[in-house]
């Protein structure tokens, strides 16, 4: 089954190739976007388009995307993930620093690299709990978000970490560069999040959604953006992106949730400026509190340098 998705091309993507525009607007990998175009599943202004065709501002870009349904039958294929760093490894857990463009695990419709397959290629044996393609995964990061993830290696670690995330005892810290200056500069967003009624691939603040709580504090304010530290109580899909978009301060570069494409272009951003910088939790083996940190990747640091100049 497929989902039909459509968006108008913003000014900032004027002249882009079709596959690049799809990747930016719909959060897909460039390879997947090219595959969809090759299959005839992409149209511009109601005409089938090839991957190398160019789009113009205001064009209607329509894509048929395979629906992520039941994942039975998915298998993990060991495949190295360039740029993925092992931060910590012991008998119970492995903590990775996930690059942008990498999924947490294999899924229907995703053809790019993923953490589980990368660990398998590196020779790591992880917990067999959970669905076969999600072995050891206790929490996830979006493909377009970089930073820290913990993966369970033992069965007891999987059980205890899943419970820790459910009971909200894990300290998840993110840094985000958001447009404008949030007011107040220290605050909490307590607003339920559900699937967007008009776009299956997006989420939105809505009364019928699940509880979502985001705490933030502005670290540094610049002329057109602010660097904020974010702590999550809950872990809803796209939570930080949705909450800041609802505040009218979307993450810089996040065109899916209303970011200014001109600012994204000026900062050289091809994705949302969002990074999981810190992860703290009670070690499932020793019971001791452990904490891990991650530096900004090159693209986010370069954007930050540009906004601060």
């Amino acid at each position: 089954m497929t989902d039909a998705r459509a968006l108008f091309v913003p000014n900032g993507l004027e002249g882009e190739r079709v596959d690049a525009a799809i990747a930016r607007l719909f959060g897909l990998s460039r390879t997947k976007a090219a595959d969809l175009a090759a299959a005839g599943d992409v149209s511009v202004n109601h005409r089938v388009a090839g991957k190398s065709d160019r789009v113009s501002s205001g064009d209607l870009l329509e894509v048929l995307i395979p629906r992520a349904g039941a994942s039975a039958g998915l298998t993990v294929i060991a495949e190295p993930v360039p740029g993925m760093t092992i931060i910590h490894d012991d008998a119970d857990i492995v903590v990775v620093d996930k690059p942008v463009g990498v999924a947490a695990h294999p899924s229907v419709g995703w053809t790019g690299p993923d953490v589980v397959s990368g660990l398998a290629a590196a020779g790591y044996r992880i917990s067999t709990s959970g669905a076969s393609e999600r072995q050891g995964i206790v929490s996830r990061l979006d493909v377009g978000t970089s930073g820290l993830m913990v993966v369970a290696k033992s069965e007891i670690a999987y059980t205890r970490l899943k419970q820790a995330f459910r009971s909200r005892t894990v300290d998840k810290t993110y840094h985000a560069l958001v447009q404008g200056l949030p007011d107040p500069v220290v605050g909490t967003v307590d607003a339920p999040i559900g699937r967007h009624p008009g776009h299956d691939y997006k989420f939105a603040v809505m009364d019928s959604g699940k509880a979502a709580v985001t705490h933030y504090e502005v670290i540094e304010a610049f002329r057109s953006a602010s660097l904020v530290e974010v702590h999550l109580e809950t872990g809803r899909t796209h939570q930080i992106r949705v909450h800041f978009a609802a505040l009218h301060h979307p993450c810089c570069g996040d065109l899916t949730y209303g970011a200014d494409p001109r600012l994204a272009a000026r900062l050289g951003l091809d994705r949302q400026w969002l990074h999981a910088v810190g992860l703290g939790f009670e070690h499932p083996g020793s019971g001791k509190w452990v904490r891990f940190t991650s530096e900004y990747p090159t693209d986010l640091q370069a954007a930050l340098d540009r906004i601060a100049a």
Side-chain angles (χ1 to χ4, degrees):
M1 298 180 67
T2 59
D3 288 318
R5 304 178 185 175
L7 287 174
F8 289 102
V9 176
N11 295 336
L13 295 185
E14 172 76 36
E16 284 278 8
R17 284 169 51 113
V18 162
D19 54 356
I22 292 171
R24 291 286 299 275
L25 288 173
F26 296 98
L28 301 176
S29 70
R30 185 79 171 262
T31 300
K32 181 59 180 177
D35 289 344
L36 291 173
D41 293 333
V42 176
S43 64
V44 176
N45 297 328
H46 307 298
R47 294 184 178 182
V48 175
K51 67 178 182 180
S52 59
D53 290 350
R54 301 284 173 171
V55 297
S56 299
S57 173
D59 281 349
L60 177 63
L61 183 60
E62 298 174 283
V63 185
L64 291 176
I65 300 176
R67 181 173 296 174
S71 56
L74 285 176
T75 57
V76 175
I77 299 175
E79 183 176 355
V81 175
M84 189 173 78
T85 304
I86 304 300
I87 300 296
H88 173 83
D89 175 39
D90 61 38
D92 293 296
I93 62 172
V94 57
V95 179
V96 303
D97 199 340
K98 185 187 82 68
V100 64
V102 177
H105 56 74
S107 61
V108 176
W110 174 251
T111 59
D114 67 87
V115 171
V116 171
S117 299
L119 289 174
Y124 288 86
R125 297 186 63 182
I126 57 181
S127 167
T128 57
S129 297
S132 61
E133 75 281 0
R134 296 197 297 272
Q135 293 178 1
I137 297 295
V138 292
S139 68
R140 293 176 288 183
L141 292 178
D142 295 343
V143 170
T145 300
S146 52
L148 297 173
M149 280 182 56
V150 59
V151 181
K153 294 175 67 177
S154 67
E155 306 311 311
I156 190 64
Y158 181 87
T159 299
R160 289 176 177 173
L161 285 172
K162 287 292 285 187
Q163 180 56 41
F165 277 97
R166 278 195 292 265
S167 60
R168 305 180 185 180
T169 60
V170 178
D171 180 19
K172 298 171 286 185
T173 306
Y174 296 77
H175 282 184
L177 187 68
V178 303
Q179 294 181 189
L181 177 63
D183 182 17
V185 294
V186 178
T188 295
V189 184
D190 186 349
I193 291 176
R195 192 171 291 277
H196 195 291
H199 304 281
D200 283 346
Y201 64 96
K202 289 178 65 174
F203 293 79
V205 169
M206 49 199 310
D207 291 338
S208 60
K210 295 181 179 180
V213 180
T214 301
H215 306 286
Y216 72 88
E217 179 177 358
V218 173
I219 301 172
E220 189 170 3
F222 306 101
R223 174 174 293 183
S224 53
S226 301
L227 182 65
V228 297
E229 181 166 294
V230 180
H231 291 268
L232 296 183
E233 277 195 31
T234 52
R236 306 303 175 203
T237 303
H238 298 182
Q239 179 172 323
I240 295 173
R241 301 166 64 190
V242 170
H243 273 174
F244 277 98
L247 294 177
H248 305 294
H249 297 289
C251 294
C252 293
D254 194 358
L255 303 190
T256 299
Y257 286 102
D260 182 354
R262 294 166 298 183
L263 179 59
R266 180 162 68 87
L267 298 180
L269 285 172
D270 292 323
R271 50 110 162 195
Q272 64 266 16
W273 204 113
L274 180 60
H275 186 66
V277 298
L279 190 60
F281 51 88
E282 186 177 283
H283 192 284
S286 68
K288 296 181 179 179
W289 184 261
V290 292
R291 182 163 184 82
F292 306 96
T293 59
S294 169
E295 300 293 329
Y296 300 151
T298 302
D299 63 331
L300 299 190
Q301 184 61 57
L304 191 61
D305 292 341
R306 290 189 182 100
I307 201 77

